[in-house]
Amino acid sequence: DPIAARHLRELVSGELNRKEGKTILLATHNMIEAEELCTRIAILHRSKIRRMGTLPEVRAWARRREHYVIEVSGLNGAFVLMEFEGGRVEEVGDAGLPSGKAPHPATQTLRAELEPGGAALTHVLKDLVSRSAVIVSCTRHEASLQEIFDMTVGEEKPS
């Protein structure tokens, strides 16, 4: 129930935490709720804490790589995958885009996972332009808590 959930979030963050100064321990599978309510996050998997810290600290761990969505025109479907020492760029369909980002019909959408600092992004953009691509947009994508959880759990080798 969205209305009851909003009231519960308001009670926890407004009344109990801010006004009364109480610490709340919240166990949830709802990552959006955790992002909204929690000042410290612990990601548990198989009964062990895998990541812990403030939301900015947990997000900083995920920034080992920078993620971009690049929309280009002019490649006429000629781009599928680029891998190099500084990262990886691949073409994606609508399903691989952050929600609410619909590509323009005459463009291709690429997802880049790159080393931080800008040099890898510069390399990718120069390469695309050298292929006569027109860069329609380039958006940095901040990982959601759900994506960070998936990256954290994905590091483990199945036993």
Side-chain angles (χ1 to χ4, degrees):
D1 177 10
I3 294 171
R6 180 171 37 86
H7 288 301
L8 178 62
R9 286 193 303 271
E10 288 170 359
L11 172 70
V12 168
S13 65
E15 287 294 316
L16 299 176
N17 187 257
R18 275 195 292 270
K19 283 186 181 175
E20 296 183 25
K22 294 185 178 179
T23 298
I24 310 299
L25 177 63
L26 174 68
T28 183
H29 290 94
N30 184 331
M31 298 295 126
I32 294 170
E33 191 170 71
E35 281 182 287
E36 287 180 23
L37 287 174
C38 300
T39 55
R40 293 190 52 78
I41 304 282
I43 296 176
L44 291 101
H45 183 62
R46 296 188 179 168
S47 304
K48 293 184 181 174
I49 294 175
R50 306 297 182 195
R51 291 274 168 264
M52 187 168 64
T54 63
L55 189 54
E57 289 168 345
V58 171
R59 280 209 165 106
W61 168 83
R63 284 191 208 104
R64 307 175 295 176
R65 299 292 236 184
E66 293 178 345
H67 300 267
Y68 294 89
V69 175
I70 306 168
E71 194 174 337
V72 298
S73 65
L75 291 179
N76 301 320
F79 187 95
V80 178
L81 177 69
M82 175 197 312
E83 291 186 290
F84 59 103
E85 189 176 321
R88 169 187 174 95
V89 183
E90 62 185 333
E91 185 172 3
V92 295
D94 295 355
L97 297 173
S99 61
K101 306 276 187 194
H104 187 276
T107 62
Q108 287 171 264
T109 303
L110 312 175
R111 181 175 42 212
E113 183 179 309
L114 307 171
E115 286 183 358
L121 178 62
T122 300
H123 172 77
V124 168
L125 296 177
K126 281 182 179 178
D127 182 77
L128 290 169
V129 170
S130 76
R131 298 179 194 210
S132 300
V134 173
I135 310 297
V136 176
S137 69
C138 179
T139 307
R140 186 171 176 177
H141 174 68
E142 185 78 37
S144 69
L145 191 53
Q146 180 66 55
E147 290 167 321
I148 294 169
F149 176 86
D150 293 343
M151 284 187 263
T152 301
V153 171
E155 288 182 338
E156 290 186 15
K157 304 289 183 232
S159 44

